[in-house]
Amino acid sequence: MAGPEILQGLDTPSTNRLSPEDEVEMLHMMLRIRRFETRAKELFLKGVIKGTAHSSVGQEGIAAGACRVLEDRDFLLTHHRGHGHTLAKGADMARMFAELMGKATGYCGGVGGSMHIADMSLNILGANGIVGAGMGLGVGAALAAQIQGTGAVGISFFGDGAASEGLFHEALNLAAIWKLPLIFFCENNQYGLTTATETVIAGGSIAARAKGYGVPGRRIDGNAAATVFAAVEQAAARARAGEGPTLIEAMTYRWDDHSMRANLAGYRTEAEETAWREVDPIARLEARLTEAGHLDADRIAHLRAEVDAEVEAAIDLAEAEPEPEMADLLPMVMAPPPKPEAEPAPGPRAIAYRAAITEAFAQEMASDETIILLGEDVGEAGGIFGLTPGLLDGFGAGRVRDTPIAENVIATAAVGAALSGMRPIVEVQLFDFVTLMMDAIVNQAAKARFMLGGAARVPVVFRGPQGAGIRLAAQHTQSLEMLFANVPGLEIYAPSTPYDAKGLMTTAIRSDNPVLFLEHKLLYLGAEAPVPETAYAIPAGKARIVRTGVDCTVIATLAMVERAVQAAERLAKDGIEVEVIDPRTLKPFDFDTVAESVRKTNRAVIVHEAPVFGGIGGEIAARIMSDAFDWLDAPVARVGAPEMPVPYNDRLERAYMPDARDIAAAVKDVCYRS
């Protein structure tokens, strides 16, 4: 493994803006970070801090140098080893210790821990436990700054291991294309957990990869705070001038193991560790300032004593704070819903499902300049199913953004933009591709509000076509709603009519929570239906009784609603009156309406297109059993697809999807059983 000799011959930017006193202040910050980390480790070993934390001892020069460039309006995103960055941006030390101790007054209310500290008031948009996530979030925050015209720039800190993630390339490419005000800052501390960086990085260096994206790439001495300051100063000036991102790779070394919990054997030699400690960024700066006559032993002792007192006072404050209670946590998961509106009458005008969604986009974008649309081919092409035609002309390329084919960064950037005051709508070209957005949706969007102690809003909509029926084969026709139903923090909408599509899209856009908005492809081909011309919102969690009946309740979703109605009409000829319920939203779900109906009909059939096992029908059936068991005259029946991917052959695809005959057969079975 390369030793500290790697610091020789690196890029050496300089600045005229640092006075000796500025450097003393950077030293003071480095001492604060070092003492915070060493005391945190001691508290971990004593059991006061539990779980884990990741020390940045040895890397203090990066945090002190880089963050000193940033202004109040500027933002940063960091990673699991981010204590130094947050302290250097102005975070309160006592609140940080409180968070590490799991206390209610911690930055995240004691529920986020070391890896998720954020302070939105300081534009610290969060540390992150997912490797590389801050790069994608940073792209979104930088996009927000660009659109809002704030003049802010940001830094996304990441480790050398994250440079091998696909998100690194997607984010750098998108930031370069859009000339976003973002600095990609890699802290190369020589190891990704236990793997030597030089063994897994092709192309000579991480900084060299910048050339492929047409942006500057610099490899600097990360143990020299003044060098770090100069490099970031120049990158920030470039970003503020509208010239786009810079990639900085700072060579450094972490003194401790990967984490305080880790006890990993034998991946670094004692000689290597000793050699790197000899280029300690704190000792180097102290020596240089002393030799130049700007510092003496008395002042160094004073600085250290001041830091020790500050840290101990912060620890005492944190230890005295209470722990959170379970009752405090649920409000942190989801933002309150918008104030419910009365649903208007449909009126005489009829439009199609697609047109209803497009109209919701246009009306909401006209009334709220924070709404932006991101996706592949959403501009002039209007999307592959034509749901965004005319929006580019109406709102411009700044708000209707065609993206590369890069689902991970599209989705993660949308979350970053949402955290920064925008309301992004992400078009998932086909909902199967949402699997390429899983981290952004499940680990970022769904958890951000909770991990940040309920302090964040995440108003983002992920929307697109799902389901079978038009011969697109197994990878373009899945019904994937249940991948997300078990994830707290998400809402899932599933409208089956043009009226519901417009009203629920309006609600989704206005929600302060992340929403998955499901649009079935067959509904795009459906008939026109009455839809009000004015904007309106349908409350989430309010089901619609499509057809009344007394003999059996059928709960159906999306394209299955129309088929359930067809089945009900057929069954009426046999004297069986079916009540059909469309939940309209799957999360929140209106169990009260379903239970009330079942108590009247005494029977229930649940229909969805996804395979039966693991489908939403199982959850609905379980709730019917708990809420209406005493009223049931027969077991709850479920109708869904067979346990297989969707076949391409058109006859087999039709056989795969539940139809009116399947639904009618299930209804007859539960009726005749009793």
Side-chain angles (χ1 to χ4, degrees), residues 123-135:
N123 290 316
I124 300 171
L125 302 185
N128 211 289
I130 303 299
V131 172
M135 289 182 281

Side-chain angles (χ1 to χ4, degrees), residues 583-604:
R584 303 200 290 189
T585 66
L586 305 182
K587 194 173 184 181
F589 193 96
D590 185 357
F591 287 107
D592 291 342
T593 294
V594 169
E596 184 179 351
S597 176
V598 173
R599 293 186 190 113
K600 176 178 66 175
T601 66
N602 310 119
R603 302 167 186 86

Side-chain angles (χ1 to χ4, degrees), residues 472-488:
L472 291 182
Q475 293 179 335
H476 287 39
T477 50
Q478 299 164 90
S479 296
L480 300 175
E481 59 268 15
M482 287 308 285
L483 291 182
F484 303 98
N486 194 236
V487 179

Side-chain angles (χ1 to χ4, degrees), residues 295-419:
L295 204 60
D296 58 29
D298 287 344
R299 189 167 185 196
I300 291 173
H302 174 77
L303 288 173
R304 291 181 179 274
E306 185 180 82
V307 166
D308 286 349
E310 179 192 11
V311 171
E312 295 310 310
I315 291 171
D316 290 344
L317 282 172
E319 286 190 299
E321 296 294 342
E323 294 187 359
E325 301 295 335
M326 282 296 290
D328 302 328
L329 303 189
L330 277 178
M332 298 182 187
V333 179
M334 305 284 282
K339 185 177 180 180
E341 301 177 8
E343 293 185 37
R349 185 192 63 145
I351 60 175
Y353 188 91
R354 282 187 297 186
I357 293 173
T358 303
E359 190 167 88
F361 293 156
Q363 290 177 344
E364 291 304 295
M365 291 180 77
S367 65
D368 186 346
E369 293 184 353
T370 68
I371 299 169
I372 57 175
L373 184 63
L374 306 176
E376 300 157 15
D377 306 300
V378 297
E380 289 187 21
I384 63 169
F385 287 97
L387 272 83
T388 56
L391 294 179
L392 178 62
D393 292 338
F395 301 101
R399 294 179 63 194
V400 181
R401 298 224 171 196
D402 278 330
T403 65
I405 300 174
E407 285 82 6
N408 195 350
V409 73
I410 296 168
T412 312
V415 178
L419 289 169

Side-chain angles (χ1 to χ4, degrees), residues 248-280:
I248 298 172
E249 179 186 9
M251 309 306 291
T252 186
Y253 195 82
R254 58 172 163 82
W255 289 15
D256 290 328
D257 214 332
H258 170 71
S259 73
M260 295 179 189
R261 177 179 288 276
N263 186 19
L264 304 166
Y267 65 97
R268 304 192 299 191
T269 67
E270 184 177 342
E272 176 187 305
E273 293 185 7
T274 299
W276 274 100
R277 286 173 186 258
E278 290 174 356
V279 290
D280 175 1

